[in-house]
Amino acid sequence: MPARDGPIARQRAINARLHMQATDMVERLAAAESASRVLPVIMLPANTRDTEPLPRASRDQFLAGLRRTIERVYEVPVRDNAAVLSAQEMAARDDARDASDADIPELSAVLGASCATCRGECCTAGGTHAFLRDDSLVRVRAQFAEDGTPLTQTELVDRYAAYLPARHYRGSCVFHTTDACTLPRGMRSNLCNRYVCGGLTQLTRALDATGSPSVYVAAADSSHLRRIARVSASGAVAVSLKRIG
C-alpha cells in the first residue's frame, strides 16, 4: 500500500479537514461579531471519555506498583537538594515546583485553559501508573525532606492514596478527573510536569507570531469536532458548535 494511502495519511487528511472546518466556523463567528481580525485556530485532541467511580482494582494496582517503586527509591539515601544537580535534574525539579498564582506567567494560564478544552487526552495514557517512575519519586521524597517533613515509605504511599479521587475518566489515569489532575503539581511525575503536546507547541508559536492575547482552540477526536473555545490568560470561553455550525 502506498504511503499516501496509509492510515497515517488518511488521518492527516481528516485532521486537515477538521482544521479547515474549525477555521471556517471561527471566520463566520468573527464576521457576525464584526471583529477586527480573525484569531488563530489551534487544533487539540479531545478527550471524550465518560467518568466512572475509580475501580477498586485500579486503585489497588496503582498502590501496589507505587509501593514497589518507593521500596527501590528508599534503598538509597535521600537526595541532597543542596548538592549540584544535573541539567536534567534541575529541569525536573524546577518544573515540578508548586507555583503561586502570582508566579504563573500569562502563557502558562493560556496553556492551562487550552488543556481544559482538550480535557486531558494525554492523561489517558497514565493508567494505573501515573508515570510515577523512580526518578519522579526520588524528587518527591527529596522535596518533602527539604521542606522539613521527611516521610517514611508508608507515609509517602498514604500521601498519594489520599489524592485518589472517588471518580475519574473511564480507563484513564487514576488521578484524571473532570477537575484535571487531583495531585498537587509537586507530586506529579516529571513527565507530566514537562510534557507539552504538539498542539500546545503550535499555540505558543501562533501567539508569538501574531502577538494576539488569545486564540481559538478546537478539540477533535479522530473524525469530529467536539469543542471550540476562545482561550486567553483569563480562561476559556466555550463557543457553541450549533451557534457557528
Side-chain angles (χ1 to χ4, degrees):
M1 177 184 292
R4 65 178 180 275
D5 296 327
I8 294 178
R10 288 198 296 272
Q11 189 58 54
R12 285 176 176 168
I14 292 172
N15 293 345
R17 173 180 60 76
L18 293 172
H19 186 264
M20 289 180 61
Q21 181 182 353
T23 300
D24 179 65
M25 290 180 175
V26 168
E27 288 176 347
R28 285 188 279 117
L29 180 61
E33 296 178 345
S34 299
S36 59
R37 62 172 175 169
V38 178
L39 297 176
V41 179
I42 303 300
M43 297 296 299
L44 293 181
N47 170 27
T48 58
R49 301 180 185 217
D50 296 325
T51 61
E52 67 173 0
L54 179 63
R56 182 74 188 189
S58 297
R59 175 188 175 89
D60 291 347
Q61 187 174 348
F62 167 75
L63 291 175
L66 181 69
R67 290 189 186 97
R68 290 192 295 270
T69 305
I70 288 177
E71 286 176 3
R72 290 196 302 271
V73 166
Y74 274 67
E75 289 175 355
V76 297
V78 64
R79 176 70 163 84
D80 180 5
N81 278 344
V84 176
L85 299 176
S86 69
Q88 182 178 4
E89 290 172 328
M90 184 67 77
R93 182 181 172 195
D94 289 346
D95 287 347
R97 290 252 181 223
D98 284 323
S100 67
D101 290 342
D103 294 328
I104 298 174
E106 186 171 299
L107 176 59
S108 293
V110 174
L111 296 181
S114 300
C115 287
T117 303
C118 163
R119 299 181 186 171
E121 177 64 14
C122 63
C123 302
T124 61
T128 57
H129 52 74
F131 300 106
L132 287 166
R133 311 304 188 193
D134 294 39
D135 59 340
S136 299
L137 290 166
V138 165
R139 170 184 55 75
V140 172
R141 179 192 181 194
Q143 284 177 184
F144 280 113
E146 184 182 29
D147 292 340
T149 55
L151 302 178
T152 66
Q153 295 184 40
T154 298
E155 288 171 336
L156 186 51
V157 171
D158 289 345
R159 288 288 181 113
Y160 277 99
Y163 286 105
L164 286 169
R167 297 184 67 87
H168 81 141
Y169 280 112
R170 186 185 305 275
S172 187
C173 176
V174 290
F175 294 103
H176 185 197
T177 74
T178 55
D179 293 322
C181 181
T182 57
L183 284 176
R185 184 167 294 280
M187 292 179 65
R188 297 176 195 173
S189 77
N190 294 342
L191 176 62
C192 293
N193 283 318
R194 290 199 301 261
Y195 181 73
V196 177
C197 72
L200 293 185
T201 299
Q202 293 177 15
L203 184 152
T204 303
R205 291 172 179 167
L207 292 176
D208 288 342
T210 63
S212 172
S214 59
V215 298
Y216 278 98
V217 170
D221 59 21
S222 60
S223 56
H224 297 93
L225 286 175
R226 295 295 183 177
R227 294 178 288 276
I228 293 181
R230 181 167 177 165
V231 173
S232 67
S234 59
V237 178
V239 177
S240 172
L241 291 176
K242 293 181 179 179
R243 176 187 172 192
I244 56 178

